[in-house]
Amino acid sequence: MAHHPHAFLPGASKRLEALSDGVFAIACTLLVLEIKIPHFSQGLTMAQQWEIIKEAETLPSIVAFIFSFLNILIFWTNHDAINKVLVRFDTKTTYLNIVFLLFISLIPFTTAFLRENLSSFIANASYGLVLMLASVAAVMMYHHLAFRAKLFLPEVTMTSRKRVYIQVLSGPILFMIAIAAGVISTYISIAIYAITPISFMFLPQLDFDTKEEEKIKEQHQ
Amino acid sequence: MAHHPHAFLPGASKRLEALSDGVFAIACTLLVLEIKIPHFSQGLTMAQQWEIIKEAETLPSIVAFIFSFLNILIFWTNHDAINKVLVRFDTKTTYLNIVFLLFISLIPFTTAFLRENLSSFIANASYGLVLMLASVAAVMMYHHLAFRAKLFLPEVTMTSRKRVYIQVLSGPILFMIAIAAGVISTYISIAIYAITPISFMFLPQLDFDTKEEEKIKEQHQ
Amino acid sequence: MAHHPHAFLPGASKRLEALSDGVFAIACTLLVLEIKIPHFSQGLTMAQQWEIIKEAETLPSIVAFIFSFLNILIFWTNHDAINKVLVRFDTKTTYLNIVFLLFISLIPFTTAFLRENLSSFIANASYGLVLMLASVAAVMMYHHLAFRAKLFLPEVTMTSRKRVYIQVLSGPILFMIAIAAGVISTYISIAIYAITPISFMFLPQLDFDTKEEEKIKEQHQ
Amino acid sequence: MAHHPHAFLPGASKRLEALSDGVFAIACTLLVLEIKIPHFSQGLTMAQQWEIIKEAETLPSIVAFIFSFLNILIFWTNHDAINKVLVRFDTKTTYLNIVFLLFISLIPFTTAFLRENLSSFIANASYGLVLMLASVAAVMMYHHLAFRAKLFLPEVTMTSRKRVYIQVLSGPILFMIAIAAGVISTYISIAIYAITPISFMFLPQLDFDTKEEEKIKEQHQ
C-alpha cells in the first residue's frame, strides 16, 4: 500500500511534529544540567568567589550552553519552516526525521564533551560531526519531500524549492569546514559553532514562494 | 518576501507555542533534581533525622524549588496571555522568543547556584540577572508585536496595549531593584524573588480590551 | 474585566493542558533517573550478581518508580476527566493548576527520599503530604470549576457534579490516613501508596452525566 | 455509564496522545545523560586521548544510546500507526497505555544497566524483559481496540486488522527469543536489540485497508 501510507487521517504529521518539538525542547533544556555550579565556603571575598567560578569553569560552560541551545533551536526553526509547506510526512521521512532527532539528542553529550576538552581536536570534531550528521539528515529529508515524494503543497514553486535546497545544503558544508578548521586550531571550530546560530538569526529565513508570488516577483524584475 | 513570512499556514504560531510550553514544563520540572535527598542510617531518632535534614539543607532547596517553579510559570502565564491576542509570530518574534526561552532554561542553574550560596552577592545577582534578561526579552517581544509589527488582533485597543505594556515593563525594573538590593543584604533580594510570583497571583492579569469593551467602559465612567 | 478573562480565544485552555501534560510526562519519566544502576565486576557468578543488586537496593527503587509513576498518571487521568467537561479555565483555576503541578513536580523528590529511608516516618509522611497537597489543590480546582465559576459544560447535571465531588474528596482523606498510619508502621503507609493507583484502575472513573442521560437513568430505576 | 466513557468530547484521545508523545520524547532524550563524558588532561596526544575514550567506555555507551533511542521511537511509530485508525480511547485502553508508557520509561534504566554490564545475563535479560513487557502491553491494547471494543474506524477491514495483529504479536516473541539467546551468549541478545529497530525501518509499516481498498486489491489478484 505504498501509495497511501497515511490514508486515514490527513493531519498525519501532527504527532511527528509533537514528538519533534518535545525532543527539541528537552535537548535544549537538558543542557542546563551540564553547567557547573560553584560552591563558596563562608566568608570568602568577592574576588575569591570569582576565583572559584573561574576554576569551576562555570563561564565556559554557560557559553557552551548558550551556543548549543541556539544551534538546536536554529535546527528547530528550519524544521518548522519546511513543515509549514508540507502536505504530510510519509514513512521514509518519518524514519529520516527519527534519525535527525537522534543527532539532535546527542548535542547535550557533545556539548559536555567539548566544554570539558576545549583544546582537543577529537572533542571539537565530535561536536561538529553531530551537527553535520543532523544537517545531512535534514538535507535528505528536504530532498525527499521537495523533489521525490512530492509532499510539498503543490503551489510551492520549483524555483523556490531549489533556492531553499541550496540554503539547506550549506549546513553540512559549514560544519565540515568547522571540523577541518580544527586541524589548524580548535578555537576556529569553536568560533564557527558559536557564531553560526547567531549569524543565522540575521540571515533571511528559509522561505518559499507560491506561483502567484513568483509572477509578481518576475514582473518587478 | 519580508511582508508575508509565514504565508502558507495561518496557524503558524502553534509549534512555537508547543516548543515554548515544552521548555517551560521541562525547566520547572528539572528543578526537582536539585533538591538534596537526605539519607538516614538505621536506628536514628526523629530528632536526629531532622538534624540530618537541616545539615543537608533540604528545606532551603525545597523553598528554592518552589519560588523558581512559580517564577517560571508566572512567565508562562504572561506568555500565554499575550499569545491569546496574537494573529501570528513573525521571524523577529520567533528569534526573540528563542532568546527568551534561553533565559528561562537557565533558571534551574541560577536556582542551584543561589541555593548553594545564599549569602553570596554574585549568586543572588546571577539569579536576578537571568530573570531580568528574560523580562527584557519579553518586553522586546511585546513591543514588537503590539506596536511595530501589528501582529495583535486588530480589535485589541491601543489603550489596553499601552496599559499592558506598562505592566510588562515592571518586570525588568523589579528584578533590577532586587539585584541592587543585594548590595545591602542578599536576603532582601531573595525575599523579592520569593514574594514576586506569589504576589503576582493576586494582582490583575495581563488583560486586553476589544474596542467594544472599551466603549462600554467609557460609558460607565 | 474580571467577567471575561479569556474573551479573545475560546480554546483558551489548550495551552494549560499542554503545559500540564508536559509536567506530568516529565515528572513520571524523570523518576527513572532515581533507579540505582548496579555494576558487576568481571567474572561474578549469577548469585553474586543478585547479591550486588540486593545491596544496591535496585529492586526497591524499581518498585518505588512503578508506584510513583502510577500515582502521577492517576492524577493525570482525573485531570483529564475533569477537563473534558470544561468550557474553559479562568485565572483562579490557572493558578490553582500551577500549584497543583508544583506538587506533582515534587513527587520525584519524595520518591527518592522515601526509597532512601523506607522505615523513616518523616520520609513516609513527606511522600504522603505531597500527594495530599496535590489532591487538595485538585479538590479546590474542582470545587471552583463545578460550583463557583460555572465553567463546566451546562449540560453536565448537578447530581453528577456532586457525585464526582465526593470521589475527588476521597483523595486527600486517603492520603491523610496513609500519613497517620505511618505512626503505627511505615509499611502500612507504603502499602497504601502502592495499592492506591492500582486499585484505582479497577474502580469506576470520574464520570459525568448529561441531563438526558440522567433522565434515562431515572426511568430505569 | 460504561457504554459511553468519554461521551462529552469526541477528540478525547488528543491528551493521551500528547502525554504519550511527551513520555516518548523524554525517555529517548534522557538516554543522553547516560553517555560517559571523557576528560583529557592538558597536553595529551591524540592516541592517549583515544585510550581514555576507550577506558571511559564512551563508544559502547553511544552505541547503547543509539539502539535504545531507535527502539523507543519504533514503538512510537507503531503507537502512531494504530492511533491513526482509532475513533477514540476508552478507559481500559487508557490504563493499558499508562502501563505501556511505564515500560517505555524504564528503558533508560535498562540501557544504563546493560551498558554497565554487557556480558551479564541478568542485565541483558532485564533489557529484553522491559521491551517484551512494553510489547505485551501494546498487543493487549491492540487486541482490545481492534477486536473487543470496536474502537477502530469502521471502514478498516477485518482482514487488515488481523494482518496487523500478527505483525504486532511478533514483538513479544522476538524479545523472548532475544532473552533466551542470552543463555548461549549475551552478544546474540545485544545484536538482536541493536538490529531490530534498524531492520524494522526497512520492513513494511503497520498498515490498514479500507473496504474499498480491499476490493481493489482483490480485483488485482
Side-chain angles (χ1 to χ4, degrees):
Chain A
M1 301 264 83
H3 62 291
H4 68 114
H6 300 320
F8 288 99
L9 280 187
S13 65
K14 283 286 153 288
R15 280 194 70 190
L16 194 58
E17 276 185 28
L19 182 84
S20 305
D21 287 343
V23 170
F24 277 114
I26 299 153
C28 72
T29 319
L30 272 187
L31 290 164
V32 79
L33 297 178
E34 312 285 356
I35 301 180
K36 290 177 178 173
I37 299 155
H39 178 76
F40 312 138
S41 33
Q42 287 292 320
L44 291 184
T45 65
M46 217 180 278
Q48 287 169 317
Q49 292 183 6
W50 278 117
E51 202 50 47
I52 288 170
I53 290 173
K54 229 170 135 181
E55 270 168 42
E57 294 190 324
T58 304
L59 295 184
S61 65
I62 291 175
V63 172
F65 167 83
I66 292 174
F67 69 71
S68 285
F69 188 98
L70 294 179
N71 269 310
I72 290 173
L73 290 194
I74 292 303
F75 273 110
W76 177 84
T77 310
N78 292 343
H79 193 269
D80 182 43
I82 291 165
N83 258 34
K84 285 201 177 74
V85 296
L86 272 190
V87 180
R88 59 174 177 80
F89 276 92
D90 62 356
T91 306
K92 190 173 173 187
T93 359
T94 301
Y95 290 137
L96 282 172
N97 194 68
I98 285 174
V99 171
F100 170 72
L101 293 178
L102 188 147
F103 295 120
I104 295 294
S105 292
L106 272 169
I107 295 176
F109 160 68
T110 52
T111 304
F113 186 28
L114 176 58
R115 186 214 55 210
E116 282 290 303
N117 310 285
L118 287 178
S119 58
S120 157
F121 173 73
I122 297 174
N124 267 278
S126 308
Y127 190 88
L129 187 67
V130 163
L131 291 178
M132 199 191 81
L133 291 171
S135 309
V136 168
V139 166
M140 288 171 73
M141 252 197 290
Y142 183 86
H143 188 263
H144 179 70
L145 289 167
F147 304 123
R148 290 288 173 89
K150 318 249 166 185
L151 293 171
F152 274 22
L153 294 171
E155 58 264 42
V156 180
T157 63
M158 198 41 83
T159 321
S160 67
R161 289 174 195 216
K162 284 179 187 159
R163 189 185 61 224
V164 171
Y165 187 51
I166 290 163
Q167 284 180 273
V168 173
L169 262 179
S170 69
I173 294 165
L174 181 73
F175 293 121
M176 221 181 291
I177 293 169
I179 296 169
V183 180
I184 306 167
S185 162
T186 55
Y187 291 94
I188 305 177
S189 316
I190 294 173
I192 297 177
Y193 304 143
I195 293 165
T196 301
I198 293 160
S199 63
F200 188 94
M201 291 190 178
F202 296 95
L203 288 174
Q205 262 203 312
L206 303 187
D207 196 16
F208 299 94
D209 295 329
T210 60
K211 273 152 199 171
E212 240 160 89
E213 287 163 359
E214 203 169 71
K215 256 189 223 156
I216 298 168
K217 272 191 178 177
E218 277 164 9
Q219 288 168 348
H220 280 79
Q221 276 171 349
Chain B
M1 302 261 83
H3 62 290
H4 68 115
H6 301 322
F8 287 99
L9 280 187
S13 64
K14 283 285 153 288
R15 280 194 71 192
L16 195 58
E17 276 185 28
L19 182 84
S20 305
D21 287 344
V23 170
F24 277 114
I26 299 153
C28 73
T29 318
L30 274 188
L31 290 164
V32 79
L33 297 179
E34 312 286 355
I35 301 180
K36 291 176 178 176
I37 299 156
H39 178 75
F40 313 137
S41 34
Q42 288 291 319
L44 290 185
T45 65
M46 217 180 277
Q48 287 168 317
Q49 292 183 7
W50 279 117
E51 202 52 47
I52 287 169
I53 290 173
K54 228 170 133 182
E55 270 168 41
E57 295 190 322
T58 304
L59 294 184
S61 65
I62 291 176
V63 172
F65 166 83
I66 293 174
F67 70 71
S68 285
F69 188 98
L70 295 179
N71 270 310
I72 290 174
L73 289 194
I74 292 303
F75 272 109
W76 177 84
T77 310
N78 292 343
H79 193 269
D80 182 43
I82 292 166
N83 259 32
K84 283 200 180 75
V85 296
L86 271 191
V87 180
R88 58 172 176 80
F89 276 92
D90 62 357
T91 307
K92 190 172 174 186
T93 359
T94 302
Y95 290 138
L96 282 172
N97 195 68
I98 286 174
V99 171
F100 169 72
L101 293 177
L102 187 146
F103 295 121
I104 295 295
S105 292
L106 272 169
I107 294 176
F109 161 68
T110 52
T111 304
F113 187 27
L114 176 58
R115 186 214 56 209
E116 282 290 303
N117 310 285
L118 286 178
S119 60
S120 157
F121 173 73
I122 297 174
N124 267 278
S126 308
Y127 190 87
L129 187 67
V130 164
L131 291 178
M132 200 190 80
L133 291 171
S135 308
V136 169
V139 167
M140 288 171 72
M141 252 197 289
Y142 182 86
H143 188 263
H144 179 72
L145 288 167
F147 304 123
R148 289 289 172 88
K150 319 251 165 183
L151 293 172
F152 273 23
L153 294 171
E155 57 264 43
V156 180
T157 62
M158 198 41 83
T159 320
S160 67
R161 288 175 195 215
K162 284 179 187 162
R163 190 185 59 225
V164 171
Y165 187 50
I166 290 164
Q167 284 181 273
V168 172
L169 261 178
S170 69
I173 294 165
L174 182 73
F175 293 121
M176 222 182 291
I177 293 169
I179 296 169
V183 180
I184 307 167
S185 162
T186 55
Y187 291 95
I188 306 177
S189 317
I190 293 173
I192 298 176
Y193 303 142
I195 294 166
T196 301
I198 294 160
S199 63
F200 188 95
M201 291 191 179
F202 296 95
L203 288 174
Q205 262 204 311
L206 302 188
D207 196 16
F208 299 94
D209 296 327
T210 60
K211 272 152 202 173
E212 240 160 89
E213 288 163 359
E214 202 169 70
K215 255 188 225 158
I216 298 167
K217 271 191 179 179
E218 276 163 10
Q219 288 169 349
H220 279 78
Q221 277 172 348
Chain C
M1 301 265 84
H3 62 290
H4 69 114
H6 300 322
F8 287 99
L9 279 186
S13 65
K14 283 286 154 289
R15 281 194 70 191
L16 194 59
E17 276 185 29
L19 182 83
S20 305
D21 287 343
V23 170
F24 278 114
I26 299 153
C28 73
T29 319
L30 273 187
L31 290 164
V32 79
L33 298 179
E34 312 285 356
I35 301 179
K36 290 176 178 176
I37 300 154
H39 178 75
F40 312 138
S41 34
Q42 287 291 320
L44 292 184
T45 66
M46 218 179 278
Q48 287 169 316
Q49 291 184 7
W50 278 116
E51 203 50 48
I52 287 169
I53 290 173
K54 228 171 135 182
E55 270 167 42
E57 296 191 319
T58 304
L59 295 183
S61 65
I62 290 175
V63 172
F65 167 83
I66 292 174
F67 69 70
S68 285
F69 188 97
L70 294 179
N71 270 310
I72 290 173
L73 290 195
I74 292 304
F75 272 109
W76 177 84
T77 311
N78 292 344
H79 194 269
D80 183 41
I82 292 166
N83 258 32
K84 283 199 179 74
V85 296
L86 272 191
V87 181
R88 58 172 176 81
F89 276 92
D90 63 357
T91 306
K92 191 173 173 185
T93 0
T94 302
Y95 289 138
L96 281 172
N97 195 69
I98 285 174
V99 171
F100 170 73
L101 293 178
L102 188 146
F103 295 121
I104 295 296
S105 293
L106 273 168
I107 294 175
F109 160 68
T110 52
T111 304
F113 187 27
L114 176 58
R115 186 213 55 209
E116 281 291 303
N117 309 284
L118 286 178
S119 59
S120 157
F121 173 73
I122 296 174
N124 267 278
S126 307
Y127 191 87
L129 188 67
V130 163
L131 291 178
M132 199 191 82
L133 291 171
S135 308
V136 168
V139 167
M140 288 171 73
M141 252 196 291
Y142 182 85
H143 188 264
H144 179 72
L145 289 167
F147 304 123
R148 290 289 173 88
K150 319 249 165 185
L151 294 171
F152 273 23
L153 295 172
E155 58 264 41
V156 180
T157 63
M158 198 42 82
T159 321
S160 68
R161 288 175 195 214
K162 284 180 186 160
R163 190 185 61 225
V164 171
Y165 187 50
I166 290 163
Q167 283 180 273
V168 173
L169 262 179
S170 69
I173 294 165
L174 181 74
F175 293 121
M176 222 181 292
I177 293 169
I179 296 169
V183 180
I184 307 167
S185 162
T186 54
Y187 291 95
I188 306 177
S189 316
I190 293 172
I192 298 177
Y193 303 142
I195 294 166
T196 301
I198 294 160
S199 63
F200 188 95
M201 292 190 178
F202 296 95
L203 289 174
Q205 261 203 313
L206 303 186
D207 196 14
F208 298 94
D209 295 328
T210 60
K211 274 152 200 174
E212 240 160 88
E213 288 162 359
E214 203 168 70
K215 257 189 224 156
I216 299 167
K217 272 191 177 176
E218 277 164 9
Q219 288 167 349
H220 280 78
Q221 275 171 350
Chain D
M1 304 260 81
H3 62 289
H4 67 115
H6 301 320
F8 288 98
L9 281 187
S13 65
K14 283 286 154 287
R15 279 194 71 190
L16 194 58
E17 276 186 28
L19 182 83
S20 306
D21 287 343
V23 170
F24 278 114
I26 298 153
C28 73
T29 319
L30 273 188
L31 290 164
V32 79
L33 297 179
E34 313 285 355
I35 301 180
K36 290 177 178 175
I37 299 155
H39 178 75
F40 312 137
S41 33
Q42 287 292 319
L44 291 184
T45 65
M46 219 180 276
Q48 286 168 318
Q49 293 184 7
W50 279 117
E51 203 50 47
I52 288 170
I53 290 173
K54 227 170 137 182
E55 271 167 41
E57 296 190 322
T58 303
L59 295 184
S61 64
I62 291 175
V63 172
F65 166 84
I66 291 173
F67 70 69
S68 285
F69 188 98
L70 294 179
N71 269 310
I72 290 174
L73 290 194
I74 292 303
F75 273 109
W76 177 85
T77 311
N78 291 344
H79 193 270
D80 183 43
I82 292 165
N83 259 33
K84 283 200 179 71
V85 296
L86 272 191
V87 181
R88 58 174 176 79
F89 277 92
D90 62 357
T91 307
K92 190 172 174 185
T93 1
T94 302
Y95 290 137
L96 281 172
N97 195 69
I98 285 174
V99 171
F100 169 72
L101 293 178
L102 188 146
F103 296 121
I104 295 296
S105 292
L106 273 169
I107 295 175
F109 160 68
T110 52
T111 305
F113 187 28
L114 177 57
R115 185 214 55 208
E116 281 290 304
N117 309 286
L118 285 178
S119 60
S120 157
F121 173 73
I122 297 174
N124 267 278
S126 308
Y127 191 88
L129 187 68
V130 163
L131 291 178
M132 199 191 82
L133 292 171
S135 308
V136 168
V139 167
M140 288 171 72
M141 251 197 290
Y142 182 86
H143 188 263
H144 179 71
L145 288 167
F147 304 123
R148 291 288 173 90
K150 318 248 166 187
L151 293 171
F152 273 23
L153 294 171
E155 58 264 41
V156 179
T157 64
M158 198 42 82
T159 321
S160 68
R161 288 175 196 215
K162 285 178 186 161
R163 190 184 62 224
V164 171
Y165 187 50
I166 290 163
Q167 283 181 274
V168 172
L169 263 179
S170 69
I173 294 166
L174 181 74
F175 294 121
M176 222 181 293
I177 293 169
I179 296 169
V183 180
I184 307 165
S185 162
T186 55
Y187 290 96
I188 305 177
S189 317
I190 293 172
I192 298 177
Y193 304 142
I195 293 165
T196 301
I198 293 159
S199 63
F200 188 95
M201 291 191 179
F202 297 94
L203 288 174
Q205 261 204 312
L206 303 186
D207 196 15
F208 299 94
D209 295 328
T210 60
K211 273 151 200 171
E212 239 159 89
E213 289 163 359
E214 203 168 71
K215 255 188 224 155
I216 299 167
K217 272 190 177 178
E218 277 163 9
Q219 288 167 350
H220 281 79
Q221 277 172 347

